Amino acid sequence: MRRRLRTALALVLSAAPTGRRAGHAHGAAGPAPTEDRLSGARGTAPAPGRPEPGPGERPGSRNGGGPKAGRGPARPAPEAGRRTGPVRGTPRERLRAWAELLRVSALFSVPGDALAGAAAVGRRPGRGTVLAAGASLCLYEAGMALNDWADRDEDAVDRPHRPIPSGRVSPAAALGAAGALTAAGLALAARAGRPALTVATGLAATVWAYDLRLKHTKAGPAAMAAARSLDLLLGATATATGASAGLPAGDGGRPDNVAGTGGTSATTAARTSGVLAPVLPALPAALVLGAHTYGVTAVSRHEARGGSTGTPLAVLATTAALAAAVAGERRGRGLSGPAHTTPSAPGAPALTTPGAPGTRHVATGAFGAPAHAPGAGHATPAPTRTTHAPPGERPASAALARLPALVAGAANNPGRLLTLGLTAAYVRTAAPPLLHAALNPSPPLTQRAVGGGIRAMIPLQAALAARAGAPVTGLAVMGLVPLARSLARKVSPT
């Protein structure tokens, strides 16, 4: 009898709803949850292998913690590294995202191009130099934004923390910023004169061609080197254009009423020659800066995955050769031999031509830069120092072997000593990270070598300015190093 009662009771309980088994109906408040000794939280610890109920899910439901009734099926989790939509953060977070996109810590390597270009042509920085520096900054940041826009799919796999793949900056916003910054850079260059606008247009075209087409080709490093060289020539052109535009009336500024129409054509020709001729001595300095940029770009191709030993070693040898060239003795020669002046319009800047007979010799400074800036009818020559050296160029190894003799000879020459010190700072900034990347070509050390190469541009620009006879400009450029180093700790330049 008792066995039959137990069987009947078991059948009744099995047919009852789940809520009835716990002793309360659906919707009625159950007993308060007890302290769970395993999880340390109130409630029941999840069973092994069962996931925790997510937000908006009801714990203890019959489907193992699914979504609430009426919410539809659960959505699949997004794939790792794929942006699901723009992420809106606080204004400070958005500002940091844009700082990472534009790599603002690398900005301090840009103004030195214009200042070194002004020093290479023997001019003091002026309004044109400031406009050139502003245009360079805009075009540089345009290239940064365009670079991340073009690499957004690749960064989603290799560097998902970048602003675009992480969703902190939308691709459309990055592309729009690149276009706006390019337009702003060209507008500033136009204010510096037509020759400066021409150089800036070539620079902008090189930047866009590199980011959109040439980056992953063999011509990529050469394109970046050309962009950096054009940036220095932009500063030289804008500075020379501004100096020529400030000539007084009758001496290249306004048409001379006494000279008639012939004076106008002669003045125009003299102004053109006065702008183009001083820019030519800046070519060697532009090539030095371009060669350094070529090496940095070649190393940066391996910063995501590493694995290259030969490239850092080759760039290290290039760094030593460039340092030897900058630290070598100055020669009183131009680009193609001694510079001479040819007759031109009265009061107009003299045009230098190599080896012209029957003309007087003009002293030249570093890399063929004129020792003084031509003026309106008269010029105040700056003090120059002539260093006699045996004819012929020496290789980089010979110059490095003579480094102690160079230091000893510069003991009584402050300008020379400053050039050697800035060159040593350049080597000290660029060489150790390259050596570490060659010994261990891992992605972190390769990225550190790229960052060191970017920061090394500042002492290289300062050394070029000091070598050209502008020690104050060199020291001003070198003053950007602490700022770049401090900001690099917050925002990576790579």
Side-chain angles (χ1 to χ4, degrees):
M1 187 67 181
R2 292 180 179 179
R3 182 178 300 176
R4 292 180 180 179
L5 289 176
R6 290 177 181 176
T7 303
L9 183 60
L11 292 175
V12 172
L13 290 177
S14 62
T18 306
R20 297 287 184 181
R21 298 182 195 175
H24 58 277
H26 285 288
T34 59
E35 184 75 18
D36 186 82
R37 295 182 180 179
L38 296 178
S39 62
R42 296 177 61 85
T44 303
R50 178 179 297 176
E52 290 274 6
E57 298 179 354
R58 184 175 59 189
S61 58
R62 297 183 64 179
N63 60 353
K68 288 184 178 180
R71 291 293 181 92
R75 297 180 180 179
E79 299 180 9
R82 182 175 295 275
R83 184 176 60 86
T84 59
V87 178
R88 296 184 178 274
T90 63
R92 185 173 182 178
E93 292 175 345
R94 291 196 296 268
L95 182 62
R96 179 175 179 82
W98 279 99
E100 293 180 10
L101 177 75
L102 300 177
R103 296 174 175 87
V104 294
S105 60
L107 272 180
F108 296 101
S109 67
V110 179
D113 291 343
L115 294 174
V121 297
R123 309 269 188 171
R124 291 183 178 180
R127 175 178 176 272
T129 312
V130 175
L131 291 173
S136 299
L137 289 171
C138 291
L139 294 177
Y140 187 85
E141 292 293 51
M144 290 297 182
L146 186 63
N147 175 78
D148 274 30
W149 179 85
D151 287 349
R152 60 190 185 279
D153 294 333
E154 180 181 345
D155 287 343
V157 178
D158 295 334
R159 308 172 75 178
H161 62 278
R162 292 296 300 165
I164 292 181
S166 64
R168 292 176 292 160
V169 176
S170 66
L175 183 60
L181 288 169
T182 301
L186 294 178
L188 289 174
R191 296 291 302 273
R194 185 173 297 177
L197 177 60
T198 302
V199 178
T201 302
L203 174 58
T206 304
V207 170
W208 280 73
Y210 171 81
D211 285 332
L212 298 181
R213 178 70 66 177
L214 303 177
K215 181 187 305 182
H216 300 293
T217 66
K218 294 182 179 180
M224 280 300 296
R228 183 64 74 161
S229 297
L230 286 173
D231 200 28
L232 188 144
L233 293 178
L234 174 61
T237 305
T239 304
T241 304
S244 299
L247 296 178
D251 289 332
R254 299 177 181 176
D256 192 344
N257 296 330
V258 178
T261 57
T264 302
S265 59
T267 298
T268 303
R271 181 185 301 177
T272 303
S273 64
V275 170
L276 296 180
V279 174
L280 296 180
L283 286 176
L287 292 177
V288 168
L289 203 59
H292 173 77
T293 306
Y294 187 100
V296 175
T297 308
V299 175
S300 69
R301 292 188 156 204
H302 307 277
E303 64 178 346
R305 301 181 180 180
S308 175
T309 300
T311 302
L313 284 177
V315 176
L316 183 61
T318 303
T319 301
L322 294 177
V326 176
E329 295 180 359
R330 297 196 302 175
R331 294 166 174 79
R333 294 178 179 269
L335 289 175
S336 32
H340 302 274
T341 58
T342 56
S344 58
L351 174 63
T352 59
T353 56
T359 55
R360 58 187 177 88
H361 180 266
V362 176
T364 56
F367 294 111
H372 59 82
H378 63 277
T380 303
T384 59
R385 292 180 292 271
T386 304
T387 303
H388 299 283
E393 297 290 336
R394 293 181 175 85
S397 58
L400 287 177
R402 296 180 62 252
L403 189 58
L406 293 176
V407 175
N412 298 327
N413 191 336
R416 179 81 178 136
L417 195 60
L418 176 62
T419 302
L420 293 177
L422 295 175
T423 305
Y426 161 66
V427 176
R428 175 65 181 84
T429 305
L434 288 172
L435 182 60
H436 296 161
L439 296 177
N440 181 12
S442 61
L445 291 181
T446 304
Q447 293 174 11
R448 189 174 301 176
V450 175
I454 295 175
R455 291 190 300 272
M457 290 182 183
I458 301 178
L460 179 59
Q461 296 160 349
L464 291 173
R467 179 187 170 98
V472 177
T473 301
L475 291 176
V477 174
M478 197 63 184
L480 299 174
V481 171
L483 299 176
R485 187 176 301 171
S486 175
L487 194 57
R489 296 190 184 100
K490 300 179 180 179
V491 180
S492 174
T494 62

